[in-house]
Structures are given as structure tokens and as C-alpha cells.
Amino acid sequence: MEQKTAQYIKRKFQEYYIKHNISAPPEVHHREFGFWLDSERKSVPIRPKSFKSESELNHYLRTHQSLFHISYSAAYYEFPENEISRKNWLGADLLFDFDVKTDFIEPRKIGEIWEEILKLHDFLKCDFGFASQDIKVNFSGSKGFHVKVFDEKVRKLGKEESREILGYVMANGLLKDIRKSAFFEIKEVVTGVEIMNRKRKRAETKTEILIGPKIDDVGWGKRIVNSAVEILKEQENNKRLGEEKRKKIKEILEDIKNGNYNKFREYLKDKYMKDKIKKYAVNLTADTDRQVTQDISRLIRLENTLHGGTGLIAKKIDDVENFKTERNFKEFVAFNETDVEISVNDDLKFWLLNDFELKKGVNKIPEYVAVYLMLKGKAEILKF
């Protein structure tokens, strides 16, 4: 990045913090903050740093240039500015990080991540009982989203407990062998009574059946039932299916609703059943994303600050259930649409609210796009 470009970017970032008040995280005085003075985070960060109040935090943001990345600790410390061994850890929030690997932002991939966010949001509310107001979701400012749970119940959770929560939402273990999971058990039931001729005594005939979740269950039990019903309904709707087979499927459906999976055993082994379960599970495949949840001392980007690699806002999303990624993406744009003149290093084709196709050399493009390209090292400012 040329010096003139760096000066332009620094000025735009500082203007943003002068114009906007940034909300502090809960109990800001117990948080450690970190600041990176370059867009690629190659420099040594300014940390540990702490603030007594939101106003003190905002004063710092408005009076310091070159704050490209602003992060705070998921952890709460008694002495956040001390070295790690002397901070006195008090607890931590529960974090989830979703990112996609891509050079430029791709609406389709961001939309796919958002589907995982919605699934996680459902788990946190319905399975773990967290209130909506304690679950915060924000755009990461680049290629994904962060989910944070601010609740007293999670503060004392360690790495192992966080790992278990992660395993639950990802259906770890359940997908290895559904029949052997905690949701199923073998029970002996009486199926008939025979009269023994010699001694005229009754002898019970017993058999083993597979018992599992019922239609009115909650959590993963409900999701297992729904998956089983989906499979059977799809078969039942096959027009080429014979009447006898259709009748048998109806019987299995009724059995499943009452928790009897005896006639559904073979389906449970089938890959198709696992695929149905996977659709309900949260997909966090990247090791780095999983590590965020298990790291109880992690620094995470501060909501509503600018991402130093894109110039986009790590904006908090207030209405999670009605948010649409491509339709609402404009909320993440910090700078205006006034054209500025830049020099592009190579031919480029990308999306940022609109499709852009730029030729190498001088181009006039909206300011928010220019900042995005300059921070990515794809362009330099010509006039400002």
C-alpha cells in the first residue's frame, strides 16, 4: 500500500469513529482490548489495553489513527491490563465463529453460512434455553459471522464444556451410529401368552424392540423423528408404490410417532438417514472456527467497528430471523457511493452490493468499493 493510499484509509477510518458511537461489550471494565495498526495484522498489536467505560473507549477510538482492527476478550478479568498470569480470569462468554474461504465476498457462500447461523440460533434458544436478547449475532466484517452468548450460565464453562456444546450442535457422535446413541434403547416386551399343557402354567413370550424419540419430543429427539418421518413420507408419495407397501409405511409412521422404531431399524443404518440428520446439524468444518468456541481467552472483533481488511462494518444484526444476507448487505457498508479515482493493479471481477468488472489502470468507482480494493492490496488512490 502506497503512503498516499495509507493516509487516505487512515483518514476514512478515523472519520468513521468520530461520527459513530461504538457500543461497549457487557462489563467493559473487565475486558482486555487489542488494536492492530496495519490492515494485514502483521504488526505487534497494542495489548493488553482496558477501558473503564464506553465513553472512555470511544474517546480512544476517536483520538487514535491507524486502528485497523479492534478486538476485545471473550473473557472477563479482574485485572485485564496485567500479563496473562496475573489477570485473574473471572469467566467468559460463549463464542461461535463462521467464516468461508474466498478472496472476494460471494453472496452465495455468505448465504450458506447464514443458514448455519439460523440453525445455531435455534439450538441456543430451544435446546439450551438462552433468551434471544442474550444471543448476539454480528457480521465479521469480511467473510462470515460471529455469534456470542452473554449469559451468567455460560461464564464459568471451561474448554471441555464448550467442546461438548460444540459437539452437540454439530451432532458429533450421533452420526457415527444413530441406533447406539443415547436417544435409543432396546426393550423387552411381552408379545403373547402360551398355555403349557403339562403343568397348565402360563409362559410369556418376549421379544426385543427398538425404542426411540416420540413426535412430541424436543431437541435432537424431535429432529430425529422429523428426519424419519421425512424419509417415510417421501416413499409414501412415490406414485409407483404398491398398496401393500404404502400400507406398511403408514404403519411404520404411526409406530415412530409413538417411539417404536423396530420396523425402522434398517433405515437408521442408511446413509440417507444420516444425511437428513446432517441438515439439522450446524456445519462448522474449519478447525479454526471450532477452536474459537473452545478458546476461553479469545479476542474477538468488537461489534460495529470496521474490519481492517475490507472497510466493512462488523455490524450487529438486530433481527436475526428476518435478516436476508444479500438484501441486507448494504447495512455493512460504512462509506458512501460517491465516485473516487483509483488505479487498479489487475483486471478484476467481483461483487460488493453490485457486480463490478474493472480493467487494469484508472477507474472511477464508489468510495466504499475503492476502500475495499485498497485494503485488499488491489488498488491505490489517485486523488483525494
Side-chain angles (χ1 to χ4, degrees):
M1 185 183 292
E2 294 177 357
Q3 186 176 359
K4 185 165 66 171
T5 300
Q7 289 174 346
Y8 174 80
I9 294 294
K10 288 176 185 178
R11 191 184 77 177
K12 299 308 296 183
F13 269 52
Q14 191 171 29
E15 284 176 0
Y16 175 82
Y17 292 116
I18 289 171
K19 292 177 182 177
H20 298 84
N21 187 77
I22 305 302
S23 298
E27 298 185 39
V28 61
H29 58 290
H30 284 311
R31 307 284 192 165
E32 176 192 350
F33 283 77
F35 301 89
W36 280 259
L37 305 183
D38 66 308
S39 62
E40 296 179 347
R41 290 208 255 196
K42 291 181 178 179
S43 63
V44 177
I46 299 172
R47 64 176 294 200
K49 183 77 178 166
S50 68
F51 302 97
K52 295 178 181 178
S53 66
E54 184 175 299
S55 60
E56 188 178 314
L57 166 65
N58 277 275
H59 177 73
Y60 186 87
L61 299 181
R62 289 166 184 156
T63 56
H64 287 72
Q65 283 193 338
S66 305
L67 302 180
F68 281 93
H69 298 276
I70 302 166
S71 298
Y72 71 98
S73 62
Y76 300 81
Y77 300 108
E78 185 176 7
F79 308 109
E81 285 204 359
N82 285 358
E83 60 190 49
I84 190 67
S85 60
R86 295 173 55 244
K87 286 181 182 294
N88 189 18
W89 187 87
L90 301 174
D93 302 318
L94 182 63
L95 301 182
F96 298 88
D97 185 18
F98 293 79
D99 267 326
V100 62
K101 291 182 178 179
T102 179
D103 291 331
F104 288 98
I105 290 169
E106 297 180 41
R108 179 184 59 80
K109 290 184 178 180
I110 294 292
E112 288 172 359
I113 291 178
W114 188 250
E115 291 302 313
E116 303 306 314
I117 297 291
L118 292 176
K119 286 191 281 187
L120 176 62
H121 200 258
D122 183 67
F123 274 109
L124 293 174
K125 287 200 307 179
C126 300
D127 294 49
F128 293 99
F130 296 120
S132 294
Q133 62 266 26
D134 294 327
I135 306 168
K136 307 298 182 186
V137 180
N138 67 277
F139 180 52
S140 69
S142 181
K143 303 168 186 175
F145 299 89
H146 298 153
V147 180
K148 303 163 188 176
V149 180
F150 300 108
D151 190 300
E152 289 282 351
K153 295 192 290 291
V154 304
R155 285 203 186 178
K156 295 299 182 181
L157 298 182
K159 291 183 178 180
E160 188 56 41
E161 292 88 351
S162 298
R163 189 179 294 115
E164 287 181 14
I165 290 175
L166 197 60
Y168 180 86
V169 301
M170 294 177 65
N172 289 350
L174 177 61
L175 291 170
K176 290 180 181 178
D177 191 336
I178 300 171
R179 296 168 303 165
K180 293 181 180 179
S181 72
F183 295 95
F184 291 92
E185 61 176 325
I186 299 292
K187 278 192 175 180
E188 278 192 345
V189 296
V190 176
T191 56
V193 176
E194 295 177 0
I195 303 298
M196 298 174 65
N197 291 331
R198 186 179 298 175
K199 297 183 178 180
R200 307 296 295 175
K201 291 183 178 180
R202 292 170 176 263
E204 293 181 339
T205 304
K206 295 182 178 180
T207 188
E208 291 183 342
I209 64 170
L210 185 66
I211 300 297
K214 298 179 181 180
I215 195 69
D216 56 354
D217 278 4
V218 296
W220 267 115
K222 180 69 172 178
R223 297 179 184 99
I224 290 170
V225 176
N226 288 346
S227 298
V229 169
E230 279 182 38
I231 288 173
L232 293 170
K233 286 286 187 183
E234 286 168 7
Q235 290 192 4
E236 189 182 22
N237 291 334
N238 185 345
K239 294 179 180 179
R240 293 177 294 179
L241 196 68
E243 199 56 41
E244 281 299 313
K245 183 68 174 176
R246 197 182 302 279
K247 184 179 177 182
K248 184 178 179 182
I249 287 174
K250 285 183 181 294
E251 290 174 358
I252 299 173
L253 271 168
E254 288 305 310
D255 284 349
I256 284 173
K257 290 175 182 178
N258 294 311
N260 183 347
Y261 287 75
N262 217 43
K263 296 174 183 177
F264 196 77
R265 289 190 190 217
E266 293 304 311
Y267 291 93
L268 292 175
K269 293 192 297 184
D270 196 85
K271 180 180 178 296
Y272 193 40
M273 181 64 179
K274 288 187 178 182
D275 288 342
K276 289 288 186 185
I277 294 290
K278 281 180 183 178
K279 288 182 180 180
Y280 287 102
V282 176
N283 182 17
L284 260 172
T285 55
D287 288 339
T288 51
D289 292 348
R290 292 197 298 270
Q291 287 166 9
V292 169
T293 304
Q294 299 167 46
D295 188 348
I296 56 176
S297 300
R298 188 84 176 190
L299 289 187
I300 195 83
R301 190 175 308 283
L302 179 60
E303 299 92 329
N304 298 323
T305 60
L306 298 178
H307 189 290
T310 65
L312 297 172
I313 308 169
K315 189 173 179 63
K316 184 164 72 73
I317 298 166
D318 294 319
D319 189 356
V320 172
E321 292 175 357
N322 292 312
F323 182 84
K324 303 296 181 185
T325 52
E326 193 166 347
R327 186 188 72 194
N328 295 106
F329 201 90
K330 192 170 184 177
E331 296 176 17
F332 307 145
V333 172
F335 304 112
N336 62 50
E337 297 186 21
T338 304
D339 280 352
V340 296
E341 198 168 69
I342 62 169
S343 175
V344 179
N345 301 341
D346 292 293
D347 293 350
L348 295 174
K349 191 175 182 180
F350 61 95
W351 179 91
L352 195 62
L353 297 189
N354 295 291
D355 292 317
F356 289 90
E357 191 167 354
L358 306 179
K359 295 295 184 181
K360 181 179 179 179
V362 178
N363 290 265
K364 280 189 176 182
I365 56 174
E367 182 182 72
Y368 74 91
V369 185
V371 171
Y372 179 73
L373 294 179
M374 285 185 271
L375 286 168
K376 285 187 161 294
K378 304 293 184 183
E380 303 288 347
I381 192 71
L382 291 178
K383 295 178 182 179
F384 73 95

